[in-house]
Amino acid sequence: MTLLTVTHRTEYRYAQPVRFNEHRLMCRPRDSHDLRLLDTRLTISPVASVRWLHDVFGNSIAIVSFSGEADHLMFESSFDAEHFPDAPSDILIEEYARRLPFNYAAEDVSDLGRTRERHYPDPERRIDQWAKRHAEAQQGDTLATLIAITEDIKAQFQYLRREEMGTQSPIETLDLGTGSCRDFALFMIEAVRSLGLAARFVSGYLYDENLVGADVGMTGGGATHAWTDVYLPGAGWVEFDPTNALVGGRNLIRVAVARDASQAIPLTGSFIGRPGDDLGMSVDVRVAVMAEGSDATASSPDPSAIDLP
């Protein structure tokens, strides 16, 4: 078990005061057997009203409304949590699903729905062939194939951080040989879907395991991140991070899951002003990590903060 404090701050600057339309924020992880929330906070400037809802996937969504004008906009979300990640040895798959191809149980098929369908064009079946080569090399072993795909994306493609919105198509990633974490996650989703597996997009945070056991809760190794979930009978949704070749959720803090990357954007919104008013955006994500039993405590919350529900 690992104790974590995550702080995610996003700031926008403008040349003059502007008005803001509604913003949509995905920042609150869901409590689960592998992640237990201890405290959550949300600070927004200028003053805003917040309402909460669950989207179609059950993610917590904050809808933020503003009444005045300002030359800046700031969101800071933070939470304290206990993390209990699975190890690859904990992934126990039903006997019938241990080799590819297999069919999901009838009671699961309708609920898995479009997570089994390909979403992006592949007219020459290049992604199919790429994935099939891995399945053949692993003699159809389901978990070994998924691990090989995860590791080979990291080995074969070059990571390039991209600040612009949007995600490359899987074919673009294959052609370029480069991409961001969200590009690699989407590529893996389409690859494993071509093998008949259900997969979904996950957004959240990555932390540096080397900080665990440090003398104090140190800050570092954190970033907004994206990876892939694959549904395996007997094991459920299993996390695979092709950017770092991680399997089983270790070092990964899940915030939102979705069928497609476009449905899991951490922050969206717009302003009303002149095109030249936008002076840019800065993002800072910090993860403080403490070993179990540490006496360190989280800093006192800002009195202007809003407690997340």
Side-chain angles (χ1 to χ4, degrees), residues 38-75:
L38 305 175
D39 190 24
T40 57
R41 300 166 295 278
L42 176 62
T43 305
I44 302 172
S45 179
V47 175
S49 62
V50 180
R51 65 182 177 91
W52 291 88
L53 58 85
H54 288 107
D55 69 6
V56 69
F57 305 107
N59 302 310
S60 289
I61 308 295
I63 305 298
V64 184
S65 300
F66 302 88
S67 58
E69 297 184 346
D71 61 2
H72 73 282
L73 179 60
M74 186 278 292
F75 300 90

PDB file of all heavy atoms in Angstrom, residues 38-75:
ATOM      1  N   LEU A  38      -8.898   9.535   0.729  1.00  0.00           N
ATOM      2  CA  LEU A  38      -8.907   9.987   2.112  1.00  0.00           C
ATOM      3  C   LEU A  38      -9.406  11.422   2.235  1.00  0.00           C
ATOM      4  O   LEU A  38     -10.060  11.776   3.213  1.00  0.00           O
ATOM      5  CB  LEU A  38      -7.500   9.880   2.704  1.00  0.00           C
ATOM      6  CG  LEU A  38      -6.842   8.503   2.617  1.00  0.00           C
ATOM      7  CD1 LEU A  38      -5.412   8.574   3.140  1.00  0.00           C
ATOM      8  CD2 LEU A  38      -7.642   7.463   3.395  1.00  0.00           C
ATOM      9  N   ASP A  39      -9.079  12.257   1.249  1.00  0.00           N
ATOM     10  CA  ASP A  39      -9.500  13.648   1.277  1.00  0.00           C
ATOM     11  C   ASP A  39      -9.393  14.203  -0.135  1.00  0.00           C
ATOM     12  O   ASP A  39      -8.516  13.793  -0.915  1.00  0.00           O
ATOM     13  CB  ASP A  39      -8.625  14.461   2.237  1.00  0.00           C
ATOM     14  CG  ASP A  39      -9.170  15.858   2.480  1.00  0.00           C
ATOM     15  OD1 ASP A  39     -10.384  16.052   2.308  1.00  0.00           O
ATOM     16  OD2 ASP A  39      -8.382  16.755   2.848  1.00  0.00           O
ATOM     17  N   THR A  40     -10.282  15.120  -0.495  1.00  0.00           N
ATOM     18  CA  THR A  40     -10.267  15.729  -1.823  1.00  0.00           C
ATOM     19  C   THR A  40     -10.543  17.219  -1.702  1.00  0.00           C
ATOM     20  O   THR A  40     -11.302  17.649  -0.839  1.00  0.00           O
ATOM     21  CB  THR A  40     -11.330  15.101  -2.750  1.00  0.00           C
ATOM     22  OG1 THR A  40     -12.617  15.243  -2.134  1.00  0.00           O
ATOM     23  CG2 THR A  40     -11.039  13.633  -3.006  1.00  0.00           C
ATOM     24  N   ARG A  41      -9.924  18.025  -2.578  1.00  0.00           N
ATOM     25  CA  ARG A  41     -10.077  19.472  -2.545  1.00  0.00           C
ATOM     26  C   ARG A  41     -10.067  20.030  -3.966  1.00  0.00           C
ATOM     27  O   ARG A  41      -9.386  19.491  -4.842  1.00  0.00           O
ATOM     28  CB  ARG A  41      -8.945  20.122  -1.731  1.00  0.00           C
ATOM     29  CG  ARG A  41      -8.892  19.660  -0.276  1.00  0.00           C
ATOM     30  CD  ARG A  41      -7.595  20.038   0.400  1.00  0.00           C
ATOM     31  NE  ARG A  41      -6.431  19.381  -0.173  1.00  0.00           N
ATOM     32  CZ  ARG A  41      -6.051  18.137   0.145  1.00  0.00           C
ATOM     33  NH1 ARG A  41      -6.761  17.412   0.989  1.00  0.00           N
ATOM     34  NH2 ARG A  41      -4.967  17.618  -0.403  1.00  0.00           N
ATOM     35  N   LEU A  42     -10.813  21.107  -4.164  1.00  0.00           N
ATOM     36  CA  LEU A  42     -10.841  21.779  -5.465  1.00  0.00           C
ATOM     37  C   LEU A  42     -10.873  23.285  -5.233  1.00  0.00           C
ATOM     38  O   LEU A  42     -11.773  23.796  -4.567  1.00  0.00           O
ATOM     39  CB  LEU A  42     -12.068  21.342  -6.271  1.00  0.00           C
ATOM     40  CG  LEU A  42     -12.281  22.045  -7.617  1.00  0.00           C
ATOM     41  CD1 LEU A  42     -11.104  21.770  -8.556  1.00  0.00           C
ATOM     42  CD2 LEU A  42     -13.588  21.579  -8.248  1.00  0.00           C
ATOM     43  N   THR A  43      -9.886  24.002  -5.764  1.00  0.00           N
ATOM     44  CA  THR A  43      -9.810  25.454  -5.658  1.00  0.00           C
ATOM     45  C   THR A  43      -9.913  26.050  -7.058  1.00  0.00           C
ATOM     46  O   THR A  43      -9.232  25.589  -7.982  1.00  0.00           O
ATOM     47  CB  THR A  43      -8.482  25.893  -5.007  1.00  0.00           C
ATOM     48  OG1 THR A  43      -8.351  25.242  -3.746  1.00  0.00           O
ATOM     49  CG2 THR A  43      -8.434  27.393  -4.817  1.00  0.00           C
ATOM     50  N   ILE A  44     -10.770  27.072  -7.204  1.00  0.00           N
ATOM     51  CA  ILE A  44     -10.981  27.702  -8.504  1.00  0.00           C
ATOM     52  C   ILE A  44     -10.897  29.217  -8.341  1.00  0.00           C
ATOM     53  O   ILE A  44     -11.451  29.781  -7.400  1.00  0.00           O
ATOM     54  CB  ILE A  44     -12.364  27.328  -9.088  1.00  0.00           C
ATOM     55  CG1 ILE A  44     -12.483  25.806  -9.232  1.00  0.00           C
ATOM     56  CG2 ILE A  44     -12.576  28.007 -10.439  1.00  0.00           C
ATOM     57  CD1 ILE A  44     -13.876  25.347  -9.608  1.00  0.00           C
ATOM     58  N   SER A  45     -10.216  29.870  -9.268  1.00  0.00           N
ATOM     59  CA  SER A  45     -10.154  31.332  -9.293  1.00  0.00           C
ATOM     60  C   SER A  45     -10.310  31.797 -10.739  1.00  0.00           C
ATOM     61  O   SER A  45      -9.630  31.264 -11.625  1.00  0.00           O
ATOM     62  CB  SER A  45      -8.816  31.828  -8.719  1.00  0.00           C
ATOM     63  OG  SER A  45      -8.748  33.232  -8.760  1.00  0.00           O
ATOM     64  N   PRO A  46     -11.226  32.762 -11.000  1.00  0.00           N
ATOM     65  CA  PRO A  46     -12.065  33.515 -10.073  1.00  0.00           C
ATOM     66  C   PRO A  46     -13.172  32.646  -9.474  1.00  0.00           C
ATOM     67  O   PRO A  46     -13.320  31.483  -9.832  1.00  0.00           O
ATOM     68  CB  PRO A  46     -12.647  34.623 -10.970  1.00  0.00           C
ATOM     69  CG  PRO A  46     -12.691  34.000 -12.324  1.00  0.00           C
ATOM     70  CD  PRO A  46     -11.450  33.162 -12.417  1.00  0.00           C
ATOM     71  N   VAL A  47     -13.937  33.252  -8.577  1.00  0.00           N
ATOM     72  CA  VAL A  47     -14.995  32.527  -7.877  1.00  0.00           C
ATOM     73  C   VAL A  47     -15.972  31.930  -8.885  1.00  0.00           C
ATOM     74  O   VAL A  47     -16.346  32.572  -9.875  1.00  0.00           O
ATOM     75  CB  VAL A  47     -15.734  33.466  -6.902  1.00  0.00           C
ATOM     76  CG1 VAL A  47     -16.921  32.760  -6.265  1.00  0.00           C
ATOM     77  CG2 VAL A  47     -14.777  33.966  -5.831  1.00  0.00           C
ATOM     78  N   ALA A  48     -16.378  30.691  -8.629  1.00  0.00           N
ATOM     79  CA  ALA A  48     -17.263  29.993  -9.549  1.00  0.00           C
ATOM     80  C   ALA A  48     -18.233  29.118  -8.765  1.00  0.00           C
ATOM     81  O   ALA A  48     -18.020  28.826  -7.591  1.00  0.00           O
ATOM     82  CB  ALA A  48     -16.438  29.132 -10.508  1.00  0.00           C
ATOM     83  N   SER A  49     -19.286  28.707  -9.426  1.00  0.00           N
ATOM     84  CA  SER A  49     -20.200  27.722  -8.848  1.00  0.00           C
ATOM     85  C   SER A  49     -19.927  26.380  -9.506  1.00  0.00           C
ATOM     86  O   SER A  49     -19.578  26.308 -10.694  1.00  0.00           O
ATOM     87  CB  SER A  49     -21.655  28.136  -9.059  1.00  0.00           C
ATOM     88  OG  SER A  49     -21.963  28.213 -10.440  1.00  0.00           O
ATOM     89  N   VAL A  50     -20.073  25.314  -8.730  1.00  0.00           N
ATOM     90  CA  VAL A  50     -19.743  23.972  -9.214  1.00  0.00           C
ATOM     91  C   VAL A  50     -20.930  23.039  -8.969  1.00  0.00           C
ATOM     92  O   VAL A  50     -21.501  23.028  -7.880  1.00  0.00           O
ATOM     93  CB  VAL A  50     -18.500  23.419  -8.491  1.00  0.00           C
ATOM     94  CG1 VAL A  50     -18.161  22.019  -9.016  1.00  0.00           C
ATOM     95  CG2 VAL A  50     -17.309  24.350  -8.679  1.00  0.00           C
ATOM     96  N   ARG A  51     -21.302  22.293  -9.982  1.00  0.00           N
ATOM     97  CA  ARG A  51     -22.258  21.207  -9.806  1.00  0.00           C
ATOM     98  C   ARG A  51     -21.633  19.912 -10.300  1.00  0.00           C
ATOM     99  O   ARG A  51     -20.811  19.925 -11.223  1.00  0.00           O
ATOM    100  CB  ARG A  51     -23.585  21.487 -10.519  1.00  0.00           C
ATOM    101  CG  ARG A  51     -23.504  21.567 -12.036  1.00  0.00           C
ATOM    102  CD  ARG A  51     -24.862  21.899 -12.636  1.00  0.00           C
ATOM    103  NE  ARG A  51     -24.795  22.040 -14.085  1.00  0.00           N
ATOM    104  CZ  ARG A  51     -24.987  21.035 -14.939  1.00  0.00           C
ATOM    105  NH1 ARG A  51     -25.288  19.827 -14.472  1.00  0.00           N
ATOM    106  NH2 ARG A  51     -24.908  21.236 -16.238  1.00  0.00           N
ATOM    107  N   TRP A  52     -22.023  18.814  -9.693  1.00  0.00           N
ATOM    108  CA  TRP A  52     -21.408  17.522  -9.985  1.00  0.00           C
ATOM    109  C   TRP A  52     -22.406  16.581 -10.650  1.00  0.00           C
ATOM    110  O   TRP A  52     -23.610  16.630 -10.374  1.00  0.00           O
ATOM    111  CB  TRP A  52     -20.896  16.878  -8.697  1.00  0.00           C
ATOM    112  CG  TRP A  52     -19.728  17.603  -8.101  1.00  0.00           C
ATOM    113  CD1 TRP A  52     -19.756  18.638  -7.216  1.00  0.00           C
ATOM    114  CD2 TRP A  52     -18.347  17.339  -8.377  1.00  0.00           C
ATOM    115  NE1 TRP A  52     -18.474  19.050  -6.922  1.00  0.00           N
ATOM    116  CE2 TRP A  52     -17.586  18.268  -7.609  1.00  0.00           C
ATOM    117  CE3 TRP A  52     -17.678  16.417  -9.176  1.00  0.00           C
ATOM    118  CZ2 TRP A  52     -16.200  18.288  -7.632  1.00  0.00           C
ATOM    119  CZ3 TRP A  52     -16.291  16.441  -9.203  1.00  0.00           C
ATOM    120  CH2 TRP A  52     -15.567  17.361  -8.440  1.00  0.00           C
ATOM    121  N   LEU A  53     -21.879  15.743 -11.513  1.00  0.00           N
ATOM    122  CA  LEU A  53     -22.703  14.713 -12.142  1.00  0.00           C
ATOM    123  C   LEU A  53     -21.834  13.505 -12.460  1.00  0.00           C
ATOM    124  O   LEU A  53     -20.604  13.585 -12.427  1.00  0.00           O
ATOM    125  CB  LEU A  53     -23.377  15.257 -13.410  1.00  0.00           C
ATOM    126  CG  LEU A  53     -22.477  15.823 -14.530  1.00  0.00           C
ATOM    127  CD1 LEU A  53     -21.980  14.712 -15.471  1.00  0.00           C
ATOM    128  CD2 LEU A  53     -23.221  16.873 -15.334  1.00  0.00           C
ATOM    129  N   HIS A  54     -22.469  12.381 -12.752  1.00  0.00           N
ATOM    130  CA  HIS A  54     -21.783  11.192 -13.243  1.00  0.00           C
ATOM    131  C   HIS A  54     -22.057  11.072 -14.737  1.00  0.00           C
ATOM    132  O   HIS A  54     -23.217  11.174 -15.173  1.00  0.00           O
ATOM    133  CB  HIS A  54     -22.277   9.930 -12.538  1.00  0.00           C
ATOM    134  CG  HIS A  54     -21.819   9.821 -11.122  1.00  0.00           C
ATOM    135  ND1 HIS A  54     -22.649  10.006 -10.050  1.00  0.00           N
ATOM    136  CD2 HIS A  54     -20.590   9.550 -10.603  1.00  0.00           C
ATOM    137  CE1 HIS A  54     -21.969   9.854  -8.925  1.00  0.00           C
ATOM    138  NE2 HIS A  54     -20.719   9.581  -9.235  1.00  0.00           N
ATOM    139  N   ASP A  55     -21.014  10.872 -15.525  1.00  0.00           N
ATOM    140  CA  ASP A  55     -21.227  10.692 -16.959  1.00  0.00           C
ATOM    141  C   ASP A  55     -21.678   9.263 -17.246  1.00  0.00           C
ATOM    142  O   ASP A  55     -21.913   8.467 -16.334  1.00  0.00           O
ATOM    143  CB  ASP A  55     -19.978  11.082 -17.756  1.00  0.00           C
ATOM    144  CG  ASP A  55     -18.804  10.125 -17.550  1.00  0.00           C
ATOM    145  OD1 ASP A  55     -18.971   9.089 -16.878  1.00  0.00           O
ATOM    146  OD2 ASP A  55     -17.705  10.431 -18.063  1.00  0.00           O
ATOM    147  N   VAL A  56     -21.804   8.928 -18.521  1.00  0.00           N
ATOM    148  CA  VAL A  56     -22.335   7.631 -18.909  1.00  0.00           C
ATOM    149  C   VAL A  56     -21.440   6.477 -18.446  1.00  0.00           C
ATOM    150  O   VAL A  56     -21.895   5.345 -18.303  1.00  0.00           O
ATOM    151  CB  VAL A  56     -22.543   7.595 -20.444  1.00  0.00           C
ATOM    152  CG1 VAL A  56     -21.197   7.605 -21.176  1.00  0.00           C
ATOM    153  CG2 VAL A  56     -23.381   6.395 -20.870  1.00  0.00           C
ATOM    154  N   PHE A  57     -20.174   6.766 -18.155  1.00  0.00           N
ATOM    155  CA  PHE A  57     -19.242   5.737 -17.696  1.00  0.00           C
ATOM    156  C   PHE A  57     -19.127   5.692 -16.171  1.00  0.00           C
ATOM    157  O   PHE A  57     -18.356   4.894 -15.634  1.00  0.00           O
ATOM    158  CB  PHE A  57     -17.861   5.972 -18.299  1.00  0.00           C
ATOM    159  CG  PHE A  57     -17.871   6.063 -19.801  1.00  0.00           C
ATOM    160  CD1 PHE A  57     -17.690   7.282 -20.439  1.00  0.00           C
ATOM    161  CD2 PHE A  57     -18.083   4.937 -20.587  1.00  0.00           C
ATOM    162  CE1 PHE A  57     -17.709   7.378 -21.817  1.00  0.00           C
ATOM    163  CE2 PHE A  57     -18.108   5.027 -21.967  1.00  0.00           C
ATOM    164  CZ  PHE A  57     -17.928   6.247 -22.588  1.00  0.00           C
ATOM    165  N   GLY A  58     -19.847   6.584 -15.473  1.00  0.00           N
ATOM    166  CA  GLY A  58     -19.765   6.630 -14.023  1.00  0.00           C
ATOM    167  C   GLY A  58     -18.649   7.506 -13.490  1.00  0.00           C
ATOM    168  O   GLY A  58     -18.395   7.521 -12.281  1.00  0.00           O
ATOM    169  N   ASN A  59     -17.962   8.253 -14.366  1.00  0.00           N
ATOM    170  CA  ASN A  59     -16.925   9.177 -13.908  1.00  0.00           C
ATOM    171  C   ASN A  59     -17.559  10.391 -13.242  1.00  0.00           C
ATOM    172  O   ASN A  59     -18.638  10.844 -13.644  1.00  0.00           O
ATOM    173  CB  ASN A  59     -16.073   9.655 -15.093  1.00  0.00           C
ATOM    174  CG  ASN A  59     -15.416   8.515 -15.829  1.00  0.00           C
ATOM    175  OD1 ASN A  59     -14.787   7.655 -15.232  1.00  0.00           O
ATOM    176  ND2 ASN A  59     -15.563   8.496 -17.154  1.00  0.00           N
ATOM    177  N   SER A  60     -16.887  10.956 -12.232  1.00  0.00           N
ATOM    178  CA  SER A  60     -17.349  12.183 -11.592  1.00  0.00           C
ATOM    179  C   SER A  60     -16.939  13.382 -12.443  1.00  0.00           C
ATOM    180  O   SER A  60     -15.764  13.553 -12.760  1.00  0.00           O
ATOM    181  CB  SER A  60     -16.743  12.319 -10.192  1.00  0.00           C
ATOM    182  OG  SER A  60     -17.312  11.379  -9.309  1.00  0.00           O
ATOM    183  N   ILE A  61     -17.912  14.217 -12.785  1.00  0.00           N
ATOM    184  CA  ILE A  61     -17.675  15.382 -13.631  1.00  0.00           C
ATOM    185  C   ILE A  61     -18.092  16.634 -12.871  1.00  0.00           C
ATOM    186  O   ILE A  61     -19.202  16.708 -12.330  1.00  0.00           O
ATOM    187  CB  ILE A  61     -18.486  15.306 -14.941  1.00  0.00           C
ATOM    188  CG1 ILE A  61     -18.257  13.967 -15.650  1.00  0.00           C
ATOM    189  CG2 ILE A  61     -18.141  16.491 -15.844  1.00  0.00           C
ATOM    190  CD1 ILE A  61     -16.859  13.748 -16.133  1.00  0.00           C
ATOM    191  N   ALA A  62     -17.209  17.626 -12.828  1.00  0.00           N
ATOM    192  CA  ALA A  62     -17.539  18.925 -12.253  1.00  0.00           C
ATOM    193  C   ALA A  62     -17.865  19.885 -13.386  1.00  0.00           C
ATOM    194  O   ALA A  62     -17.053  20.069 -14.304  1.00  0.00           O
ATOM    195  CB  ALA A  62     -16.373  19.456 -11.432  1.00  0.00           C
ATOM    196  N   ILE A  63     -19.049  20.493 -13.331  1.00  0.00           N
ATOM    197  CA  ILE A  63     -19.439  21.523 -14.286  1.00  0.00           C
ATOM    198  C   ILE A  63     -19.282  22.870 -13.580  1.00  0.00           C
ATOM    199  O   ILE A  63     -19.952  23.143 -12.579  1.00  0.00           O
ATOM    200  CB  ILE A  63     -20.888  21.333 -14.768  1.00  0.00           C
ATOM    201  CG1 ILE A  63     -21.075  19.919 -15.348  1.00  0.00           C
ATOM    202  CG2 ILE A  63     -21.247  22.396 -15.793  1.00  0.00           C
ATOM    203  CD1 ILE A  63     -20.228  19.622 -16.566  1.00  0.00           C
ATOM    204  N   VAL A  64     -18.391  23.707 -14.099  1.00  0.00           N
ATOM    205  CA  VAL A  64     -18.008  24.953 -13.430  1.00  0.00           C
ATOM    206  C   VAL A  64     -18.581  26.136 -14.203  1.00  0.00           C
ATOM    207  O   VAL A  64     -18.377  26.263 -15.416  1.00  0.00           O
ATOM    208  CB  VAL A  64     -16.479  25.072 -13.337  1.00  0.00           C
ATOM    209  CG1 VAL A  64     -16.089  26.314 -12.552  1.00  0.00           C
ATOM    210  CG2 VAL A  64     -15.879  23.824 -12.697  1.00  0.00           C
ATOM    211  N   SER A  65     -19.296  27.020 -13.492  1.00  0.00           N
ATOM    212  CA  SER A  65     -19.907  28.205 -14.111  1.00  0.00           C
ATOM    213  C   SER A  65     -19.358  29.466 -13.468  1.00  0.00           C
ATOM    214  O   SER A  65     -19.150  29.513 -12.252  1.00  0.00           O
ATOM    215  CB  SER A  65     -21.432  28.159 -13.945  1.00  0.00           C
ATOM    216  OG  SER A  65     -21.982  27.001 -14.549  1.00  0.00           O
ATOM    217  N   PHE A  66     -19.161  30.517 -14.305  1.00  0.00           N
ATOM    218  CA  PHE A  66     -18.606  31.789 -13.845  1.00  0.00           C
ATOM    219  C   PHE A  66     -19.603  32.914 -14.123  1.00  0.00           C
ATOM    220  O   PHE A  66     -20.334  32.871 -15.125  1.00  0.00           O
ATOM    221  CB  PHE A  66     -17.292  32.086 -14.568  1.00  0.00           C
ATOM    222  CG  PHE A  66     -16.242  31.020 -14.392  1.00  0.00           C
ATOM    223  CD1 PHE A  66     -16.180  29.934 -15.262  1.00  0.00           C
ATOM    224  CD2 PHE A  66     -15.317  31.086 -13.358  1.00  0.00           C
ATOM    225  CE1 PHE A  66     -15.215  28.944 -15.108  1.00  0.00           C
ATOM    226  CE2 PHE A  66     -14.361  30.107 -13.201  1.00  0.00           C
ATOM    227  CZ  PHE A  66     -14.304  29.034 -14.074  1.00  0.00           C
ATOM    228  N   SER A  67     -19.586  33.940 -13.270  1.00  0.00           N
ATOM    229  CA  SER A  67     -20.513  35.059 -13.464  1.00  0.00           C
ATOM    230  C   SER A  67     -19.805  36.355 -13.854  1.00  0.00           C
ATOM    231  O   SER A  67     -20.422  37.244 -14.433  1.00  0.00           O
ATOM    232  CB  SER A  67     -21.326  35.300 -12.180  1.00  0.00           C
ATOM    233  OG  SER A  67     -20.457  35.554 -11.076  1.00  0.00           O
ATOM    234  N   GLY A  68     -18.522  36.470 -13.551  1.00  0.00           N
ATOM    235  CA  GLY A  68     -17.809  37.713 -13.827  1.00  0.00           C
ATOM    236  C   GLY A  68     -16.722  37.552 -14.867  1.00  0.00           C
ATOM    237  O   GLY A  68     -16.607  36.529 -15.547  1.00  0.00           O
ATOM    238  N   GLU A  69     -15.885  38.581 -14.978  1.00  0.00           N
ATOM    239  CA  GLU A  69     -14.756  38.588 -15.901  1.00  0.00           C
ATOM    240  C   GLU A  69     -13.452  38.521 -15.106  1.00  0.00           C
ATOM    241  O   GLU A  69     -13.397  38.905 -13.940  1.00  0.00           O
ATOM    242  CB  GLU A  69     -14.763  39.847 -16.771  1.00  0.00           C
ATOM    243  CG  GLU A  69     -15.961  39.966 -17.681  1.00  0.00           C
ATOM    244  CD  GLU A  69     -15.863  41.185 -18.580  1.00  0.00           C
ATOM    245  OE1 GLU A  69     -15.002  42.063 -18.294  1.00  0.00           O
ATOM    246  OE2 GLU A  69     -16.627  41.276 -19.562  1.00  0.00           O
ATOM    247  N   ALA A  70     -12.392  38.063 -15.763  1.00  0.00           N
ATOM    248  CA  ALA A  70     -11.077  38.020 -15.123  1.00  0.00           C
ATOM    249  C   ALA A  70     -10.009  37.887 -16.195  1.00  0.00           C
ATOM    250  O   ALA A  70     -10.288  37.460 -17.325  1.00  0.00           O
ATOM    251  CB  ALA A  70     -10.995  36.854 -14.139  1.00  0.00           C
ATOM    252  N   ASP A  71      -8.772  38.253 -15.835  1.00  0.00           N
ATOM    253  CA  ASP A  71      -7.654  38.110 -16.779  1.00  0.00           C
ATOM    254  C   ASP A  71      -6.848  36.854 -16.479  1.00  0.00           C
ATOM    255  O   ASP A  71      -5.739  36.678 -16.989  1.00  0.00           O
ATOM    256  CB  ASP A  71      -6.744  39.342 -16.750  1.00  0.00           C
ATOM    257  CG  ASP A  71      -6.123  39.588 -15.381  1.00  0.00           C
ATOM    258  OD1 ASP A  71      -6.362  38.775 -14.443  1.00  0.00           O
ATOM    259  OD2 ASP A  71      -5.395  40.589 -15.237  1.00  0.00           O
ATOM    260  N   HIS A  72      -7.399  35.983 -15.634  1.00  0.00           N
ATOM    261  CA  HIS A  72      -6.743  34.712 -15.348  1.00  0.00           C
ATOM    262  C   HIS A  72      -7.814  33.677 -15.020  1.00  0.00           C
ATOM    263  O   HIS A  72      -8.968  34.017 -14.701  1.00  0.00           O
ATOM    264  CB  HIS A  72      -5.785  34.847 -14.164  1.00  0.00           C
ATOM    265  CG  HIS A  72      -6.513  34.971 -12.855  1.00  0.00           C
ATOM    266  ND1 HIS A  72      -7.108  36.150 -12.435  1.00  0.00           N
ATOM    267  CD2 HIS A  72      -6.774  34.055 -11.876  1.00  0.00           C
ATOM    268  CE1 HIS A  72      -7.692  35.967 -11.267  1.00  0.00           C
ATOM    269  NE2 HIS A  72      -7.511  34.703 -10.906  1.00  0.00           N
ATOM    270  N   LEU A  73      -7.440  32.428 -15.090  1.00  0.00           N
ATOM    271  CA  LEU A  73      -8.331  31.324 -14.727  1.00  0.00           C
ATOM    272  C   LEU A  73      -7.459  30.223 -14.149  1.00  0.00           C
ATOM    273  O   LEU A  73      -6.454  29.830 -14.755  1.00  0.00           O
ATOM    274  CB  LEU A  73      -9.078  30.812 -15.956  1.00  0.00           C
ATOM    275  CG  LEU A  73     -10.047  29.641 -15.759  1.00  0.00           C
ATOM    276  CD1 LEU A  73     -11.148  29.989 -14.771  1.00  0.00           C
ATOM    277  CD2 LEU A  73     -10.648  29.220 -17.106  1.00  0.00           C
ATOM    278  N   MET A  74      -7.819  29.733 -12.961  1.00  0.00           N
ATOM    279  CA  MET A  74      -6.997  28.728 -12.295  1.00  0.00           C
ATOM    280  C   MET A  74      -7.874  27.631 -11.690  1.00  0.00           C
ATOM    281  O   MET A  74      -8.885  27.916 -11.062  1.00  0.00           O
ATOM    282  CB  MET A  74      -6.146  29.382 -11.195  1.00  0.00           C
ATOM    283  CG  MET A  74      -5.138  28.442 -10.517  1.00  0.00           C
ATOM    284  SD  MET A  74      -5.866  27.416  -9.190  1.00  0.00           S
ATOM    285  CE  MET A  74      -6.239  28.672  -7.964  1.00  0.00           C
ATOM    286  N   PHE A  75      -7.477  26.394 -11.941  1.00  0.00           N
ATOM    287  CA  PHE A  75      -8.087  25.228 -11.309  1.00  0.00           C
ATOM    288  C   PHE A  75      -6.987  24.465 -10.577  1.00  0.00           C
ATOM    289  O   PHE A  75      -5.952  24.149 -11.179  1.00  0.00           O
ATOM    290  CB  PHE A  75      -8.714  24.288 -12.342  1.00  0.00           C
ATOM    291  CG  PHE A  75      -9.803  24.903 -13.177  1.00  0.00           C
ATOM    292  CD1 PHE A  75      -9.504  25.540 -14.378  1.00  0.00           C
ATOM    293  CD2 PHE A  75     -11.131  24.838 -12.781  1.00  0.00           C
ATOM    294  CE1 PHE A  75     -10.498  26.100 -15.163  1.00  0.00           C
ATOM    295  CE2 PHE A  75     -12.135  25.394 -13.552  1.00  0.00           C
ATOM    296  CZ  PHE A  75     -11.814  26.029 -14.751  1.00  0.00           C
TER     297      PHE A  75
END
